[in-house]
Structure formats: C-alpha cells, structure tokens
Amino acid sequence: KNEVEQSPQNLTAQEGEFITINCSYSVGISALHWLQQHPGGGIVSLFMLSSGKKKHGRLIATINIQEKHSSLHITASHPRDSAVYICAVRWGSNQFYFGTGTSLTVIP
Amino acid sequence: DGGITQSPKYLFRKEGQNVTLSCEQNLNHDAMYWYRQDPGQGLRLIYYSQIVNDFQKGDIAEGYSVSREKKESFPLTVTSAQKNPTAFYLCASSIDIDQPQHFGDGTRLSIL
C-alpha cells in the first residue's frame, strides 16, 4: 500500500495548456512537498505546504487537509516544464513518504 | 554560491566491498538526508540527521551507515550487507526538518 498516490503517472500536453497533477495521501501529515526532477536526476523543491495555496510564477500548489489531497497546477505550460513531478509528505517527526512521480512532457 | 554537492556522479563497486558516497553542503543547514531512488519507485529515506553528531534511521537503513561529525558533511557508506545496492542515491539538506529540502545532483551506484 502506498501512502502517497499521484495521478496521472504520465501526462503529455501541448505548449500553453493548463496542467493539473494530483496527489492523495492516507496519513495525517505535518507538511507536503512538491518536487521537480529533471532527466539528469537533479531534484528541485517547488513548494512546501501545510495548508491553503501557494503560487510561484506559473506554478500553483493547493492542499485540502480534510480531503488529504493536493494539486499542482502549471499555467501556460512550456517545453522546459517537462520533468517528473513528485509529491512527498512528512508524517510525524521522521516519516517521509514519496509518490512515484508524474512524468510530464510538454510538446512545442 | 551556496549549494549541496554529491560526489562522485557515478560509482562502481565490486561485490563484497564497502563504498562511501560523499555529501557536502555550504548552506549552513542543520538537517541532512539520504534517499535511494529505484526505477518506478518513489524516493525512500535511508538516514537523516537533524543536527551534528546525531542521526536517525529511515525506512531502509539496513546495509547502510552514516556519520555526522561536521555540520556540512553527511557521508553515506553502502556496506557489503546491502544486498541490492544498485540505485540512484540523493542527498538533501534543509534549515531544519520543517523547511524545504535542497537536493544534490545524485550519485548513481552500480555493482560490477
């Protein structure tokens, strides 16, 4: 059983499209992270959320604590957004659970 | 420039050998982490350290060891007891355990 489930697993979009990636989790969490992993393997932290909504440039992350669900939105998608997006949750003091990622390809 | 550096990028190990992966950060972060990533699976936590001279086991600590003698360094040793060590290893750091993590570029370990 995976504590963190992401959907979709794979996503292909045309440049300019609005993209949504979903994350559901099964435990009560301290914080939720959205990460971006590029083809070379390097990972960048995009957001850390414990409630509400955060926005950075074309990226928006929301979380609903009651429904145990978070979404990552990308507006006006661009080919450079192509990457794997990973949802991760921290539970308690030392439990970290990661989703398997959503592989996004944005076509020019 | 501040950052987190992992070395080497690629590492090969013969069966039965221990091998140490390096992770250094100059971000003045207290917390550091080691993760393992396998194809088709999410990252899994091996060990983490919240402060110098202290570290805790993660979900898959068996066959691994760490030390945290200096704030900026958190080396991971993959011992011969780790039966399936081939994987991509990522190190991360954060100001503290409640803050976003900064990741290194990873080390890809393969068994010869």
Side-chain angles (χ1 to χ4, degrees), chain B residues 11 38 41 66 74 77 89 94-95 111:
Chain B
L11 188 57
D38 294 282
Q41 295 191 39
V66 294
F74 191 41
T77 297
Y89 291 87
S94 60
I95 294 171
I111 300 304

Side-chain angles (χ1 to χ4, degrees), chain B residues 7-80:
Chain B
S7 62
K9 195 172 177 70
Y10 299 94
L11 188 57
F12 299 91
R13 188 192 95 168
K14 290 183 181 179
E15 285 200 34
Q17 282 184 337
N18 293 353
V19 64
T20 297
L21 283 61
S22 170
C23 179
E24 304 278 331
Q25 53 97 1
N26 59 4
L27 299 166
N28 201 33
H29 286 173
D30 281 319
M32 296 187 76
Y33 315 79
W34 273 107
Y35 297 98
R36 171 182 171 138
Q37 188 177 38
D38 294 282
Q41 295 191 39
L43 275 72
R44 291 181 289 168
L45 181 66
I46 304 172
Y47 269 97
Y48 74 102
S49 167
Q50 293 194 61
I51 201 164
V52 175
N53 292 322
D54 182 66
F55 49 83
Q56 306 292 331
K57 292 182 179 180
D59 294 328
I60 54 166
E62 186 174 348
Y64 299 97
S65 66
V66 294
S67 62
R68 188 84 188 277
E69 296 175 3
K70 298 186 293 182
K71 187 175 187 177
E72 59 270 23
S73 179
F74 191 41
L76 173 74
T77 297
V78 184
T79 75
S80 56

Side-chain angles (χ1 to χ4, degrees), chain A residues 36-38 40-45, chain B residues 2-9 22-25 27 29 32-35 37 43 88-94 101-108:
Chain A
Q36 181 190 54
Q37 186 170 29
H38 286 282
I43 291 180
V44 174
S45 178
Chain B
I4 182 163
T5 302
Q6 288 187 243
S7 62
K9 195 172 177 70
S22 170
C23 179
E24 304 278 331
Q25 53 97 1
L27 299 166
H29 286 173
M32 296 187 76
Y33 315 79
W34 273 107
Y35 297 98
Q37 188 177 38
L43 275 72
F88 185 57
Y89 291 87
L90 283 155
C91 178
S93 70
S94 60
Q101 295 179 22
H102 296 247
F103 286 81
D105 289 334
T107 293
R108 204 166 293 276

Side-chain angles (χ1 to χ4, degrees), chain A residues 49-81:
Chain A
L49 295 163
S50 54
S51 65
K53 174 180 173 178
K54 286 190 176 181
K55 184 176 189 291
H56 181 69
R58 295 180 293 106
L59 301 177
I60 303 167
T62 63
I63 188 168
N64 185 317
I65 297 295
Q66 286 74 28
E67 294 186 4
K68 293 186 170 64
H69 181 268
S70 175
S71 293
L72 176 69
H73 305 285
I74 304 175
T75 62
S77 59
H78 189 276
R80 65 175 174 265
D81 297 326

